[in-house]
């Protein structure tokens, strides 16, 4: 799915290992219901699968948003589209660089690291409206997210069931609207829809991404209302307490032997 050369052979080996381990488990926990078909395809009885979503591990923003933007050198009048996290092949971050190329009045910020960072830098050469930032420390991470106008999550169109980006939980905590340039039928799209805190656009489509970002930047009230859905969703479903309670239930059920006699 990610397009990595030789990935099909690696995936076949990984699937064999998964099938062996999952077939012998009492219960199987998955972080999102979109993973269930994948696991059942490996031979696991649906009755032994439980959904145990990841919870957020970061605190909400505390710094003054305007002060953070000033510290980062972001013009108050310039919309900022920020992506935080791994810069790998499956993210398809070229769409953000190409969006910046279409819109000199938009600042695109890529914060993080990964094996595609150098290639992305080369692609963005000559674009003054693209910034590359090192990963923010824990103390300022959500403050930087909250200072942006729109937060981006991107995936190649081929990426469907292999992951749900962990960055979404941090994005939701920050209270800023999310634009997800991802396949509509994947787990990431499901999570964004469920949160009520973001907008979906077609993957690998810079023009569609730019149009959505411009709409949000032009209507800060609507963008604020959309972003406010993130913390509310976290409080309902992604808190530490809720996550630990789900794990406790999973472990208790497994230890009670209600899932299966196998270990």
């Amino acid at each position: 799915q990610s397009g990595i050369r030789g990935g099909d052979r690696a995936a076949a080996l990984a699937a064999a290992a998964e099938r062996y381990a999952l077939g012998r488990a009492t219960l199987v926990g998955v972080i999102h219901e979109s993973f269930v078909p994948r696991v059942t395809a490996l031979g696991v009885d649906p009755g032994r699968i439980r959904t145990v979503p990841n919870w957020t591990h970061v605190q909400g923003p505390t710094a003054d948003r305007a002060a953070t933007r000033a510290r980062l050198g972001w013009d108050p009048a310039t919309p900022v589209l920020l992506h935080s996290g791994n810069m790998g092949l499956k993210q398809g971050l070229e769409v953000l660089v190409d969006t910046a190329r279409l819109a000199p009045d938009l600042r695109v910020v890529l914060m993080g690291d990964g094996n595609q960072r150098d290639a992305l830098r080369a692609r963005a050469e000559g674009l003054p409206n693209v910034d590359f930032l090192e990963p923010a420390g824990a103390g300022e991470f959500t403050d930087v997210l909250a200072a942006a106008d729109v937060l981006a999550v991107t995936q190649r169109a081929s990426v469907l069931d292999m992951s749900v980006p962990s960055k979404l939980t941090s994005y939701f905590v920050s209270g800023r609207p999310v634009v997800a340039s991802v396949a509509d039928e994947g787990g990431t799209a499901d999570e964004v829809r469920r949160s009520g805190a973001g907008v979906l656009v077609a993957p690998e489509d810079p023009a569609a991404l730019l149009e959505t970002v411009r709409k949000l930047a032009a209507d800060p009230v609507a963008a604020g209302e959309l972003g406010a859905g993130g913390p509310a969703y976290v409080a309902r479903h992604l808190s530490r307490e809720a996550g630990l309670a789900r794990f406790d239930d999973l472990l208790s059920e497994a230890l009670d032997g209600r899932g299966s006699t196998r270990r």
Side-chain angles (χ1 to χ4, degrees):
Q1 289 185 20
S2 65
I4 297 173
R5 185 176 180 181
D8 53 346
R9 296 188 296 277
L13 291 172
E18 285 182 298
R19 185 176 292 107
Y20 178 85
L22 297 180
R24 285 156 179 77
T26 299
L27 294 172
V28 176
V30 295
I31 65 170
H32 196 270
E33 60 268 20
S34 63
F35 285 41
V36 173
R38 165 86 174 172
V39 175
T40 56
L42 292 172
V44 178
D45 182 345
R48 294 194 292 116
I49 302 173
R50 305 290 182 267
T51 301
V52 187
N54 288 335
W55 66 88
T56 182
H57 295 269
V58 300
Q59 300 299 312
T62 58
D64 178 75
R65 186 166 180 265
T68 302
R69 287 179 71 99
R71 176 173 63 83
L72 293 169
W74 298 348
D75 189 324
T78 300
V80 174
L81 174 64
L82 182 144
H83 175 277
S84 173
N86 184 50
M87 300 181 190
L89 279 170
K90 85 177 184 68
Q91 282 78 24
L93 291 169
E94 296 85 356
V95 68
L96 296 181
V97 176
D98 294 346
T99 298
R101 198 181 306 279
L102 294 175
D105 58 326
L106 173 70
R107 179 159 296 280
V108 172
V109 178
L110 299 174
M111 182 171 73
D113 203 355
N115 59 24
Q116 295 301 297
R117 183 179 172 116
D118 290 344
L120 290 166
R121 274 189 175 278
R123 192 182 188 96
E125 187 175 1
L127 295 178
N129 58 329
V130 178
D131 293 338
F132 286 83
L133 299 182
E134 296 300 316
E140 63 172 355
F141 178 53
T142 51
D143 291 332
V144 175
L145 296 183
D149 293 283
V150 181
L151 300 174
V153 55
T154 66
Q155 291 176 340
R156 296 188 186 278
S158 58
V159 175
L160 296 176
D161 64 353
M162 64 190 300
S163 68
V164 175
S166 59
K167 68 171 62 65
L168 277 179
T169 59
S170 301
Y171 281 7
F172 294 153
V173 168
S174 75
R176 301 309 302 162
V178 176
V179 171
S181 173
V182 300
D184 186 69
E185 63 270 31
T188 301
D190 288 345
E191 193 67 7
V192 171
R193 277 191 289 262
R194 179 183 299 160
S195 72
V199 180
L200 299 174
V201 300
E204 302 183 52
D205 188 337
L209 181 59
L210 177 59
E211 180 182 3
T212 300
V213 172
R214 286 200 189 283
K215 286 180 179 177
L216 290 171
D219 192 346
V221 173
E225 291 175 350
L226 191 66
Y233 181 67
V234 168
R236 293 194 308 271
H237 299 290
L238 301 177
S239 68
R240 180 176 182 271
E241 292 73 20
L244 288 174
R246 287 188 290 260
F247 262 108
D248 188 57
D249 290 343
L250 180 70
L251 292 173
S252 295
E253 184 179 358
L255 291 172
D256 287 345
R258 294 196 297 267
S260 171
T261 59
R262 289 176 294 181
R263 300 295 182 191

